Amino acid sequence: MKIATWNVNSAKARLPLITDWLRLTSPDVVLFQEIKCETAVFPGAAFEELGYHVAVVGQKAYNGVALLSKTPAEDILTRLPGEPEDEQARYIEATVAGIRIASLYLPNGNPIPGEKFAYKLRWMDRLYAHARDLLAREIPFVLGGDYNVIPQDRDVYSPADFAGDALAQPETRAKFRALLNLGLTEAYRALHDDDRAYSFWDYQAGCWPRDKGLRIDHFLLSPQAADRLAECVIDRGPRGGEKASDHTPVILELRDV
DNA sequence: ATGGTTGCTGCGCAA
């Protein structure tokens, strides 16, 4: 089973690029972040035409996540538990082919200090609690998306430039490590030891042509999902095209059972 | 380079 995650930075602005890529790559499951539209105006029909079932949680202008699947998604959860008053559309999770799969858009958290960083840390605590709950229930799962976390200095072109950034703070990294220490596997790093394996390049200051990127889009796997881990690759192709998102897709391959 | 770009919105904000 091939599962892709992609922060598309507007589903509508990126629609032709996305559909071209789906035809080319044909993932079984696709996780989008930053669709930047309300649920009702998400261009789901364009994906249904390609054979996908579509589950969406959107909001006006900001955030928004979606989960596409070639087989139907069941038991769809549209919010991360733990803070009922949180209205931001950052989490969707469903069962596809017997596995819980989530598309998540973890808060950016800048600037620091401030309410946005506090929200990021709370959100990470909620993700931790939820992952722990799924583990306790022995439910196999894959948590994919834009984590807005630079796990290690090697995952950014210039650690010094990000020393004051929410994506690389010690507290941010500690909470990400805590997730791993629950027994989760970070798919890309489990298989690859290379540097410059970026998934995001800022639009500004020629970051893409200069390869000044960050690795912030990740897949975290439960032990049962990790047993099936076959490959994880970053597809830099879509970042180089016209009207590109600032993120590029990451693709996970799980062996069939 | 106290710069630079993009999307959505509504004449700024988030990334």
Side-chain angles (χ1 to χ4, degrees):
Chain A
M1 179 162 61
K2 189 187 286 187
I3 307 172
T5 183
W6 192 4
N7 178 322
V8 292
N9 184 24
S10 170
K12 284 186 276 187
R14 220 66 64 204
L15 190 55
L17 183 66
I18 296 170
T19 50
D20 284 352
W21 186 81
L22 289 178
R23 269 185 279 267
L24 188 70
T25 311
S26 197
D28 299 291
V29 180
V30 189
L31 313 175
F32 290 137
Q33 302 87 39
E34 279 208 270
I35 61 170
K36 286 188 165 177
C37 64
E38 292 182 297
T39 304
V41 295
F42 181 75
F47 305 120
E48 288 167 356
E49 285 174 21
L50 295 175
Y52 289 100
H53 300 264
V54 178
V56 188
V57 53
Q59 70 179 85
K60 193 175 180 180
Y62 302 117
N63 309 317
V65 289
L67 188 157
L68 315 185
S69 55
K70 288 190 172 172
T71 60
E74 299 169 332
D75 301 318
I76 299 169
L77 180 68
T78 58
R79 345 172 40 100
L80 182 62
E83 196 170 312
E85 64 276 25
D86 182 4
E87 298 292 337
Q88 299 191 31
R90 295 181 175 275
Y91 194 88
I92 190 165
E93 177 191 298
T95 300
V96 180
I99 185 164
R100 290 301 278 174
I101 304 178
S103 174
L104 67 92
Y105 179 43
L106 207 148
N108 176 293
N110 282 303
I112 56 166
E115 172 50 34
K116 289 184 176 179
F117 189 55
Y119 174 60
K120 177 180 195 143
L121 298 179
R122 285 202 309 279
W123 209 96
M124 295 186 82
D125 288 341
R126 290 163 59 194
L127 185 62
Y128 178 91
H130 184 58
R132 193 176 50 187
D133 181 57
L134 290 171
L135 286 168
R137 293 153 62 194
E138 297 191 46
I139 297 169
F141 63 87
V142 170
L143 306 176
D146 178 358
Y147 280 73
N148 271 312
V149 174
I150 300 166
Q152 298 179 285
D153 279 352
R154 63 187 308 197
D155 297 310
V156 55
Y157 66 92
S158 170
D161 285 355
F162 282 78
D165 194 287
L167 279 61
Q169 286 312 293
E171 290 164 281
T172 305
R173 287 177 168 175
K175 290 189 186 296
F176 188 77
R177 275 200 309 278
L179 282 168
L180 302 182
N181 289 336
L182 282 171
L184 306 190
T185 296
E186 201 254 275
Y188 189 84
R189 206 41 102 197
L191 295 171
H192 303 288
D193 198 36
D194 56 331
D195 294 333
R196 296 182 168 272
Y198 305 136
S199 64
F200 164 91
W201 299 258
D202 199 294
Y203 285 125
Q204 303 182 66
C207 284
W208 167 249
R210 295 173 188 175
D211 196 25
K212 294 168 75 168
L214 321 175
R215 195 175 71 88
I216 56 176
D217 299 273
H218 309 299
F219 281 107
L220 264 52
L221 276 53
S222 74
Q224 288 154 303
D227 286 343
R228 297 171 53 186
L229 176 57
E231 184 54 288
C232 185
V233 298
I234 301 172
D235 180 1
R236 296 168 77 110
R239 184 62 180 85
E242 292 292 310
K243 291 272 288 176
S245 170
D246 42 6
H247 294 250
T248 214
V250 183
I251 305 166
L252 173 73
E253 180 83 38
L254 297 183
R255 280 185 284 271
D256 295 329
V257 283

